[in-house]
Amino acid sequence: MDISKTVTCKAPINIAVIKYWGKRDEKLILPVNSSLSATLHIDQLCTTTSIAGSKHFPEDRLWLNGKEESLENPRVKTCLQEIRKRARKRKISDDESNPEDWKLHICSENNFPTAAGLASSAAGYACLVATLAQVYGVQGNVSDIARQGSGSACRSMYGGFVEWLDGESSCGSDSIAQQVVDENYWSEMRILILVVSDQKKHTSSTAGMQTTVKTSELLQHRVTLIPGYMETMRKAIKDRDYRTFAELTMKDSNQMHAVCLDTYPPISYMNDTSRSIVQMVHDYNSFHGETKACYTFDAGPNAVLYVLEENVSEVLSLIHHSFPPSQDNKEYIRGLDSRIHDIPQGLQCAMKRDPNPGALKYIIHSKVGPQVVTDLELSLPDQNGMPKKFATWS
Amino acid sequence: MDISKTVTCKAPINIAVIKYWGKRDEKLILPVNSSLSATLHIDQLCTTTSIAGSKHFPEDRLWLNGKEESLENPRVKTCLQEIRKRARKRKISDDESNPEDWKLHICSENNFPTAAGLASSAAGYACLVATLAQVYGVQGNVSDIARQGSGSACRSMYGGFVEWLDGESSCGSDSIAQQVVDENYWSEMRILILVVSDQKKHTSSTAGMQTTVKTSELLQHRVTLIPGYMETMRKAIKDRDYRTFAELTMKDSNQMHAVCLDTYPPISYMNDTSRSIVQMVHDYNSFHGETKACYTFDAGPNAVLYVLEENVSEVLSLIHHSFPPSQDNKEYIRGLDSRIHDIPQGLQCAMKRDPNPGALKYIIHSKVGPQVVTDLELSLPDQNGMPKKFATWS
């Protein structure tokens, strides 16, 4: 089989501290407000995508986590179309076959279980678009294309802290992601993902946002508040002002979930375990008389905590105390090196809720990471452009 | 002992369908918005208060549920002062001793357990003020005095559907309760109180409201929406338009809890059982393609359902199916006569959540009731003005 080009990329997930909730354009995925996130390090969580292009492939094909999926998914189609459109604009050098004639075999895998309820679509579409751009030699900001796959995917195109501008144009050309600071700027920042055990089926964020935009009267007000939040958050990050960063992160998360509750019928992503985590963080900050931890929640019950490196060990120890692992849980804390210790009696007493064993499945310890990594040696398809791992595939 | 006068009253609780959340004046208890509630029938839930007045009593005394309480409580003091102030304005007939010289023995009891988490302060202060008004012969609208005991108490002074006007005056004279329709106007309305088993200690509504007013940016917007809600709700009640009534009741409850969540630190009164009840009601309405039940939640996890009489049996049966009583629960459904039956397979299948045995403690079946009942024969204190039931009291 004559494969003209194979490209592999890795893309990170991101966790917003100013949340995106609500679209002003469903098709182009234009948001009702700007948002801001940290990109997580790909060492802990990432999507890997390999694309093989060949004029000998009869058709485009797609495998997600080893399972072939239809390419009729309109969002995947849009990403392919948009990249090919942009590719036609660049000059093709003479020594290449024309990639416009290629069909693609796309293989994509996450290094974390989908069942964990971690939003994988951001990393997935960021990786798809980054890899496609490499295949077709498209340069420049392609975050607007990733955005059309999954809104928050545009933020995964960059490392560090990243903002996604709401933009004004009806065609979406100015609704793009851009870096606020890179991953080395606030290198003390650590991220703890608390994966909650009870993962019921939730309202998808796409459906949830639609209902919120249609029915929540409070959302209209939230939208007017966001420009101020964005300015405060940008400044807090640039000043490395943890307290302002943390308090606004918590307030913004709570407000996003408030507009979900104000939706009709109401949407609740947080459960009793989520609320216990909220209480634990506020009890912890009260105990110290200082904001040393903060939480944020996306469209599910998992909490993400942003904590400075110097406090990680204490916070992890407190989580371990408040949510002891169930007995058979050997890999309770994953990711970066973590040390836990017994927490002092005073801190134990400051916790208003009793320990809740088994309420968390596991914890991932990560940090702010770099942007999409392109053109890796590793390749998921074999020399025939078929997924390697799955011998039974035709 | 020469007791000049003994008066006994019974007062109902009320459950708001447009919620009161936030004060513009803490001392006078003036709300940031108008609210509207149904008064519940005193046969199911009420406070009984007896007051004996005598010039021979050395001091005012107060017993709540049999336990003597300090009269230093500023809200109780305010109610006493305000009634006495108003009493001085009326002409005292010559054949009475001057009640201004009297000291009072006040006994008050609820016919429901405080641990049930049902707001008892509304009935308590309504009863106190109604009984005081009888003792001192004060006539006219005294809801503004009850309001200074506990905001929502003013609505318990009337039967049927009652609104509490926010008012404009800084002295609170126009922030009073008034009847929208009496208890016979929409006689088909039934009320189901679902008492949730897990009653953790909650943020008091007084403290919660204060924090919300200080920190929630969404509350400011909610306040501008309430006049429209009030108008829609008044009209729905007058038109006996269940669908509009029910949908606005659910939306307003969700919005109140949304501003609680938007508070910093956030306040959560609803728990996972509360949210399962919400889901059950929406699944039920979806199944019928018609709004046949609605929920509302106050400052705790208990749900109150408003249901028309013709649907009560089906809704109770559905609750029994979705939240089966724990095995030793003999009095699961209390109050008005209730019939339950097996629910059809189709309705069972329409429920998205699995049955959750033991999640509810019990259910109270009630209806819209009359106003405070004054001057009952029954009297809690004995001929010496001491609580009857409690032999050990001095």
Side-chain angles (χ1 to χ4, degrees):
Chain A
M1 178 76 67
D2 175 19
I3 297 180
S4 302
K5 197 169 186 181
T6 301
V7 177
T8 298
C9 298
K10 276 180 193 285
I13 68 164
N14 67 76
I15 302 287
V17 291
I18 303 292
K19 301 290 188 194
Y20 151 55
W21 196 258
K23 298 179 181 65
R24 62 185 162 92
D25 185 310
E26 289 287 334
K27 167 110 189 55
L28 291 171
I29 311 193
L30 301 176
V32 294
N33 60 261
S34 298
S35 53
L36 202 156
S37 56
T39 295
L40 266 62
H41 203 288
I42 52 174
D43 280 357
Q44 281 77 50
L45 298 158
C46 75
T47 299
T48 304
T49 301
S50 289
I51 300 181
S54 169
K55 58 183 177 184
H56 302 292
F57 291 155
E59 55 177 356
D60 293 329
R61 293 176 72 178
L62 170 68
W63 292 263
L64 296 183
N65 294 313
K67 190 166 166 287
E68 183 156 15
E69 303 278 344
S70 160
L71 264 162
E72 286 310 297
N73 179 326
R75 293 183 170 195
V76 175
K77 275 171 86 171
T78 300
C79 290
L80 273 165
Q81 278 164 9
E82 290 297 314
I83 281 281
R84 281 170 169 154
K85 202 188 287 175
R86 218 162 286 187
R88 281 195 290 275
K89 291 182 187 162
R90 76 171 191 105
K91 182 170 167 9
I92 312 288
S93 67
D94 295 337
D95 61 341
E96 274 178 27
S97 69
N98 188 349
E100 279 194 71
D101 301 335
W102 296 347
K103 296 293 180 189
L104 305 178
H105 280 191
I106 305 167
C107 301
S108 189
E109 289 180 2
N110 297 326
N111 71 344
F112 52 94
T114 310
L118 301 166
S120 54
S121 64
Y125 280 100
C127 213
L128 173 67
V129 170
T131 317
L132 285 171
Q134 289 286 315
V135 168
Y136 288 109
V138 171
Q139 282 165 351
N141 191 323
V142 288
S143 69
D144 60 321
I145 300 179
R147 188 200 72 224
Q148 294 177 66
S150 174
S152 57
C154 68
R155 296 188 311 240
S156 275
M157 301 298 285
Y158 295 92
F161 287 90
V162 181
E163 62 186 344
W164 169 19
L165 304 172
D166 52 0
E168 289 176 2
S169 153
S170 62
C171 72
S173 58
D174 56 355
S175 185
I176 54 168
Q178 60 189 27
Q179 194 174 62
V180 177
V181 297
D182 74 17
E183 66 274 21
N184 301 312
Y185 186 85
W186 200 355
S187 60
E188 299 83 5
M189 190 63 85
R190 292 293 175 273
I191 293 152
L192 305 175
I193 303 176
L194 279 54
V195 179
V196 169
S197 294
D198 180 31
Q199 299 284 352
K200 292 213 176 98
K201 214 179 156 189
H202 303 289
T203 310
S204 81
S205 57
T206 298
M209 283 184 202
Q210 280 177 2
T211 318
T212 300
V213 169
K214 264 189 221 149
T215 64
S216 168
E217 302 197 69
L218 298 185
L219 177 67
Q220 304 313 315
H221 189 58
R222 169 168 162 77
V223 165
T224 68
L225 300 170
I226 298 280
Y229 293 175
M230 288 291 290
E231 200 181 322
T232 304
M233 187 58 87
R234 260 185 235 112
K235 185 171 184 314
I237 292 167
K238 287 183 177 163
D239 294 347
R240 299 183 188 88
D241 169 0
Y242 180 79
R243 185 185 159 176
T244 304
F245 169 87
E247 291 182 3
L248 184 51
T249 294
M250 293 189 276
K251 284 181 189 173
D252 184 76
S253 171
N254 292 330
Q255 190 172 89
M256 183 203 104
H257 292 276
V259 302
C260 287
L261 188 51
D262 186 52
T263 299
Y264 186 82
I267 304 167
S268 295
Y269 289 117
M270 295 165 72
N271 66 13
D272 283 351
T273 301
S274 315
R275 267 177 298 282
S276 290
I277 296 166
V278 166
Q279 181 78 54
M280 177 193 73
V281 169
H282 286 290
D283 289 346
Y284 174 68
N285 291 336
S286 292
F287 174 78
H288 282 293
E290 186 187 339
T291 304
K292 296 177 101 172
C294 69
Y295 53 78
T296 186
F297 293 84
D298 285 316
N302 296 336
V304 177
L305 272 51
Y306 282 87
V307 181
L308 293 178
E309 188 179 12
E310 60 186 11
N311 299 315
V312 161
S313 177
E314 186 174 59
V315 171
L316 276 173
S317 303
L318 177 63
I319 298 168
H320 199 276
H321 166 81
S322 301
F323 302 96
S326 57
Q327 286 192 328
D328 55 347
N329 198 330
K330 291 199 180 72
E331 282 194 291
Y332 194 50
I333 305 177
R334 307 175 183 192
L336 296 177
D337 255 0
S338 304
R339 262 164 251 280
I340 65 161
H341 52 75
D342 288 340
I343 59 167
Q345 193 64 32
L347 181 52
Q348 287 187 33
C349 294
M351 294 297 116
K352 294 201 186 112
R353 300 207 178 180
D354 293 332
N356 191 352
L360 297 184
K361 209 183 279 175
Y362 54 85
I363 300 154
I364 302 167
H365 179 187
S366 184
K367 61 181 181 178
V368 183
Q371 66 184 74
V372 172
V373 180
T374 54
D375 227 355
L376 296 164
E377 293 279 315
L378 168 84
S379 170
L380 300 178
D382 63 15
Q383 68 276 18
N384 291 319
M386 302 303 286
K388 274 180 189 164
K389 286 203 215 160
F390 305 88
T392 54
W393 292 356
S394 61
Chain B
M1 179 75 66
D2 174 19
I3 296 180
S4 301
K5 198 169 187 179
T6 302
V7 177
T8 299
C9 299
K10 275 180 194 286
I13 69 164
N14 68 76
I15 302 288
V17 291
I18 303 292
K19 301 291 188 194
Y20 152 55
W21 196 257
K23 298 178 182 64
R24 62 186 162 92
D25 185 311
E26 289 286 335
K27 168 109 190 52
L28 291 171
I29 311 194
L30 301 176
V32 295
N33 60 262
S34 297
S35 54
L36 201 156
S37 57
T39 294
L40 267 61
H41 203 288
I42 51 173
D43 281 357
Q44 281 78 51
L45 297 158
C46 75
T47 298
T48 305
T49 301
S50 289
I51 301 182
S54 169
K55 60 183 176 184
H56 301 292
F57 290 155
E59 57 177 356
D60 293 329
R61 292 176 73 179
L62 169 69
W63 290 265
L64 296 182
N65 295 314
K67 189 164 166 289
E68 185 157 12
E69 301 279 345
S70 161
L71 265 161
E72 288 308 298
N73 179 325
R75 292 183 171 195
V76 175
K77 276 171 84 171
T78 299
C79 291
L80 273 164
Q81 278 165 9
E82 291 296 315
I83 280 282
R84 281 171 169 156
K85 202 187 288 175
R86 218 162 286 187
R88 282 195 288 275
K89 291 183 186 161
R90 77 171 190 104
K91 187 175 160 9
I92 312 290
S93 66
D94 295 335
D95 62 340
E96 271 178 28
S97 71
N98 187 348
E100 281 196 68
D101 301 335
W102 296 346
K103 296 293 180 188
L104 305 177
H105 280 193
I106 304 167
C107 300
S108 189
E109 288 179 1
N110 297 325
N111 72 345
F112 53 94
T114 311
L118 301 165
S120 54
S121 63
Y125 279 100
C127 213
L128 174 67
V129 170
T131 317
L132 286 171
Q134 289 287 313
V135 168
Y136 288 110
V138 171
Q139 283 166 352
N141 190 322
V142 288
S143 70
D144 61 320
I145 301 179
R147 188 202 73 223
Q148 293 177 66
S150 174
S152 57
C154 68
R155 295 188 311 241
S156 276
M157 301 298 285
Y158 296 93
F161 287 91
V162 180
E163 61 185 347
W164 170 18
L165 305 172
D166 52 358
E168 290 177 359
S169 154
S170 62
C171 72
S173 58
D174 56 355
S175 185
I176 54 169
Q178 60 189 26
Q179 194 173 61
V180 177
V181 298
D182 73 17
E183 65 273 21
N184 302 311
Y185 186 86
W186 200 356
S187 58
E188 300 82 5
M189 189 63 85
R190 292 293 175 273
I191 293 152
L192 304 175
I193 303 176
L194 280 53
V195 179
V196 169
S197 294
D198 180 30
Q199 299 284 350
K200 290 212 178 98
K201 214 177 154 192
H202 303 290
T203 310
S204 81
S205 57
T206 298
M209 284 183 202
Q210 279 177 3
T211 319
T212 301
V213 169
K214 263 188 224 151
T215 63
S216 168
E217 303 196 67
L218 298 184
L219 177 67
Q220 305 312 317
H221 189 58
R222 167 167 165 78
V223 166
T224 68
L225 301 170
I226 299 279
Y229 293 176
M230 287 292 289
E231 199 181 323
T232 305
M233 187 57 87
R234 260 185 235 112
K235 186 172 184 311
I237 292 167
K238 286 183 177 161
D239 294 347
R240 299 184 187 86
D241 170 0
Y242 181 78
R243 183 184 161 177
T244 304
F245 169 87
E247 290 181 4
L248 184 51
T249 294
M250 293 188 277
K251 284 180 189 174
D252 184 76
S253 172
N254 293 331
Q255 191 173 86
M256 183 202 104
H257 292 276
V259 301
C260 286
L261 189 51
D262 185 52
T263 298
Y264 185 80
I267 304 167
S268 296
Y269 290 116
M270 295 166 71
N271 66 15
D272 284 350
T273 301
S274 314
R275 269 176 297 282
S276 290
I277 296 166
V278 166
Q279 182 77 55
M280 178 192 73
V281 169
H282 286 290
D283 289 347
Y284 174 67
N285 290 336
S286 292
F287 174 76
H288 283 292
E290 186 188 340
T291 304
K292 297 178 102 173
C294 70
Y295 54 79
T296 184
F297 293 84
D298 285 317
N302 297 334
V304 177
L305 272 53
Y306 282 86
V307 181
L308 293 178
E309 190 180 9
E310 61 187 12
N311 299 317
V312 162
S313 177
E314 186 174 60
V315 171
L316 275 174
S317 303
L318 176 63
I319 297 168
H320 199 277
H321 165 81
S322 301
F323 302 96
S326 57
Q327 285 192 327
D328 54 349
N329 198 331
K330 291 197 179 77
E331 283 193 288
Y332 194 50
I333 306 178
R334 307 175 183 192
L336 296 176
D337 257 2
S338 304
R339 264 166 248 280
I340 66 160
H341 52 75
D342 288 341
I343 59 167
Q345 193 64 34
L347 180 53
Q348 285 187 34
C349 294
M351 293 298 116
K352 294 200 187 114
R353 299 208 179 181
D354 293 332
N356 191 353
L360 298 184
K361 209 184 280 177
Y362 54 87
I363 300 153
I364 303 168
H365 179 187
S366 184
K367 62 180 181 178
V368 183
Q371 65 184 75
V372 172
V373 180
T374 55
D375 226 355
L376 297 164
E377 293 278 317
L378 168 83
S379 169
L380 299 179
D382 64 17
Q383 69 277 17
N384 292 317
M386 301 303 288
K388 274 182 192 161
K389 284 202 217 162
F390 305 88
T392 54
W393 292 357
S394 59

